[in-house]
Amino acid sequence: MSVLERARELQPDLVRLRRSLHREPELGLRLPRTQEKVLTALDGLPLEITLGQELTSVTAVLRGGRPGGAVLLRGDMDALPVDELTGVEYASELPGRMHGCGHDLHTAGLVGAATLLADHRESLQGDVVFMFQPGEEGHNGAGAMIGEGVLGAAGKPLDAAFALHVSANRLPGGWVASRPGTVMTASDVLRVTVRGEGGHGSAPHHAKDPVPAVCEMVTALQNWVTRTFDIFDPVVVTVGRLHAGTQQNVIPDTAEFEATVRSYSEANHERLAEGLPRLVRGIAAAHGLDVEVEYEMLYPVTVNEPAATAFALDTARELFGAGEVWEAPQPASGSEDFSLVLNKVPGAMLLVGAAPEGADVEKAPQNHSPRAVFDDRVLHRQAALLSELAEQRLAAGASA
């Protein structure tokens, strides 16, 4: 029986797990119900399991029956602070929480991979580390798990690390895509609070109005980016939150905004961390205002090791056929804390299309949308691909 056929037999169990996770999404680093469901799903498998201390992670090690190296497979588990509007029968039962990025599929797919690999553990030429990770959505869960030792869980150096990420649009259901080199952007946060002196809206000359300064900063960010960075090594700055005041005729004491900052190279990542705070401080000084600036570097650029990427795409072609595997011409604009793993271990992240059957992939709601729908049909394909990536990479290392 092929790995895909074995994976199809797991599909009903994977769907039940995925939908159970979807109904009860949890946020951040503490996911107790999610952790409990993962442990239940892994129960009975020959795994060495370690639970996180500062986060509700699960690290499971499968010891192969034959000597060899070690490979890590990652699945993130946390949800988003979004009210779900999909209307699916297994929609979130918790207001303000939704698996809008498909991490419930990642978790179920990784459970499936663990099950497949455990079925023939005796022939496995090395060990597999399964990294069930909370806190990917801006909480540095990968960094926390690295700090608690996930990369050393097998007791030997890792030969490779792989992760999959589903996409609710852009790719047809089940298709696999990746590329060598930069595959996803770095992600930072710029937080700015401008402090002036409030007063009456009719007499701004008797106050120190922070609002015009903040407005100038927001537009200056865009101008600075276009005049500082090469258009072939792009930078994106988007102000997603801006707040000032309580009433139309009151000049507030403070005005503030937050921006997400994305870059495709580490060189620009560093330049942004220095240049953006300098820019807003200069504007505040020109207005005679005080300013507090916080620049948080969240995740570095996600960089796929070329040989690992070629291996992963070839493995996907063998499983699914060349027509359903695509080498992407450019990186995705999202960010990933799996970048922290890939900074230390050669490996690759791959995208898997999970658009619903019959959907127009160009118009379907994207990841993070309250209307994003991910198709259960890709679950067994994720499990099979992760399983094959681990097994074939260990076999290649043993024969090298």
Side-chain angles (χ1 to χ4, degrees):
M1 187 183 296
S2 73
V3 66
L4 260 181
E5 290 170 332
R6 296 201 309 274
R8 286 192 189 98
E9 292 183 343
L10 299 178
Q11 178 73 3
D13 290 338
L14 299 182
V15 171
R16 280 191 290 271
L17 174 58
R18 182 259 164 150
R19 293 189 177 194
S20 175
L21 294 167
H22 196 92
R23 289 188 183 99
E24 293 187 272
E26 296 179 292
L27 308 177
L29 297 172
R30 307 300 299 183
L31 319 176
R33 290 288 293 124
T34 302
Q35 184 188 59
E36 179 184 347
K37 292 175 183 180
V38 168
L39 292 173
T40 298
L42 297 176
D43 188 41
L45 299 180
L47 299 169
E48 300 170 8
I49 291 179
T50 304
L51 304 184
Q53 299 300 308
E54 298 300 322
L55 70 172
T56 53
S57 60
V58 177
T59 300
V61 180
L62 177 67
R63 300 291 182 186
R66 299 166 65 183
V71 169
L72 180 142
L73 303 176
R74 195 289 301 262
D76 41 0
M77 306 190 293
D78 57 320
L80 290 162
V82 172
D83 283 309
E84 182 163 356
L85 300 175
T86 63
V88 297
E89 58 92 9
Y90 53 89
S92 171
E93 297 172 355
L94 302 176
R97 299 181 182 185
M98 176 193 176
H99 268 296
C101 202
H103 296 185
D104 49 338
L105 283 85
H106 302 166
T107 303
L110 189 57
V111 166
T115 305
L116 291 171
L117 289 164
D119 283 347
H120 55 283
R121 179 178 66 87
E122 293 305 322
S123 64
L124 199 63
Q125 296 174 272
D127 305 331
V128 183
V129 178
F130 302 94
M131 178 181 176
F132 291 91
Q133 180 208 311
E136 191 279 329
E137 295 290 354
H139 300 276
N140 192 31
M145 288 192 72
I146 290 170
E148 292 192 356
V150 68
L151 301 186
K156 63 183 78 169
L158 291 168
D159 299 315
F162 299 100
L164 307 180
H165 203 303
V166 293
S167 178
N169 65 351
R170 295 168 45 211
L171 280 175
W175 281 40
V176 176
S178 193
R179 69 189 307 275
T182 297
V183 69
M184 299 182 84
T185 67
S187 177
D188 302 332
V189 179
L190 173 67
R191 299 182 181 93
V192 177
T193 300
V194 178
R195 301 192 181 280
E197 294 179 8
H200 200 289
S202 67
H205 55 293
H206 291 309
K208 291 184 177 181
D209 191 349
V211 174
V214 162
C215 294
E216 186 175 330
M217 289 174 186
V218 170
T219 56
L221 296 179
Q222 308 304 322
N223 291 332
W224 182 74
V225 163
T226 63
R227 291 297 175 267
T228 304
F229 296 95
D230 188 335
I231 61 171
F232 297 107
D233 187 4
V235 165
V236 177
V237 180
T238 298
V239 176
R241 190 182 76 85
L242 190 153
H243 176 76
T246 57
Q247 187 166 307
Q248 46 83 23
N249 64 345
V250 176
I251 294 172
D253 277 341
T254 63
E256 59 188 35
F257 69 89
E258 294 183 0
T260 184
V261 183
R262 308 294 171 123
S263 51
Y264 291 80
S265 69
E266 275 307 309
N268 283 352
H269 195 202
E270 297 293 334
R271 292 178 70 193
L272 287 161
E274 185 275 330
L276 288 176
R278 185 186 68 237
L279 176 68
V280 297
R281 288 191 180 106
I283 293 171
H287 285 262
L289 301 170
D290 295 326
V291 64
E292 296 174 8
V293 184
E294 178 186 355
Y295 194 92
E296 183 180 3
M297 299 179 80
L298 290 178
Y299 302 151
V301 179
T302 304
V303 181
N304 282 351
E305 198 269 330
T309 308
F311 159 78
L313 291 174
D314 284 344
T315 302
R317 291 185 186 103
E318 291 174 8
L319 264 181
F320 308 130
E324 297 184 10
V325 179
W326 181 49
E327 183 167 329
Q330 59 193 31
S333 57
S335 301
E336 250 290 348
D337 70 355
F338 190 62
S339 57
L340 300 171
V341 175
L342 294 181
N343 272 358
K344 298 179 179 295
V345 182
M349 165 159 278
L350 295 87
L351 298 179
V352 177
E357 187 174 11
D360 182 339
V361 295
E362 297 301 324
K363 297 179 180 179
Q366 63 183 323
N367 291 25
H368 288 219
S369 165
R371 297 174 178 82
V373 176
F374 302 88
D375 199 327
D376 286 330
R377 293 177 306 150
V378 304
L379 288 169
H380 75 280
R381 294 170 69 93
Q382 292 179 84
L385 179 53
L386 287 169
S387 172
E388 280 293 278
L389 288 172
E391 183 170 5
Q392 297 303 324
R393 181 60 183 84
L394 289 174
S399 61

